[in-house]
Amino acid sequence: QVQLVESGGGYVHTGGSLRLSCTASGRTFRQSNSGWFRQAPGKDRELVGAIHWTGISDSYADSVKGRFSISTDSAKTTLYLQMNSLKSEDTAVYYCATDLLWPVRSVGDVGSWGQGTQVTVSS
């Protein structure tokens, strides 16, 4: 199973931006559907968004559409989650995920998880 490592989490004020990064040990995201989930305290882990390995299809939760975007670098060694116009309700632990079934709908469709990175949005 691939090891995923997230970085870039932290504290940000409401309306601010953060970019999360994720790298995979010993491989790339070149032929794997990948994405991001999040889990807020007391809530289930939910899909934030995902991108098909071809790059021609992606999907986002309604709550983040227009504010968040997923991308990779040109070598597909790093998966990004760009988060703009952050709200307090975006506060959660964010998890990188790969080897997703497509279309991805739930945690059951995920093959590999990262350890998570905390994002806290405060006013």
Side-chain angles (χ1 to χ4, degrees), residues 20-66:
L20 305 183
S21 301
C22 175
T23 56
S25 61
R27 55 176 278 191
T28 69
F29 295 100
R30 193 167 296 278
Q31 290 189 312
S32 300
N33 304 323
S34 304
W36 295 86
F37 285 70
R38 68 185 181 186
Q39 187 165 20
K43 294 191 176 181
D44 292 335
R45 195 172 297 189
E46 63 175 1
L47 175 67
V48 174
I51 185 167
H52 194 267
W53 70 271
T54 60
I56 62 174
S57 179
D58 58 20
S59 66
Y60 295 91
D62 288 343
S63 59
V64 306
K65 277 181 185 174

Side-chain angles (χ1 to χ4, degrees), residues 15-105:
S17 298
L18 275 178
R19 188 176 76 163
L20 305 183
S21 301
C22 175
T23 56
S25 61
R27 55 176 278 191
T28 69
F29 295 100
R30 193 167 296 278
Q31 290 189 312
S32 300
N33 304 323
S34 304
W36 295 86
F37 285 70
R38 68 185 181 186
Q39 187 165 20
K43 294 191 176 181
D44 292 335
R45 195 172 297 189
E46 63 175 1
L47 175 67
V48 174
I51 185 167
H52 194 267
W53 70 271
T54 60
I56 62 174
S57 179
D58 58 20
S59 66
Y60 295 91
D62 288 343
S63 59
V64 306
K65 277 181 185 174
R67 299 188 298 121
F68 290 12
S69 64
I70 296 173
S71 62
T72 64
D73 64 341
S74 57
K76 294 191 184 277
T77 60
T78 306
L79 183 73
Y80 299 106
L81 177 66
Q82 178 66 44
M83 304 184 292
N84 299 325
S85 303
L86 282 159
K87 306 175 181 180
S88 57
E89 51 263 44
D90 295 319
T91 294
V93 177
Y94 283 72
Y95 297 89
C96 177
T98 194
D99 299 328
L100 310 180
L101 297 178
W102 198 266
V104 56
R105 295 189 176 92

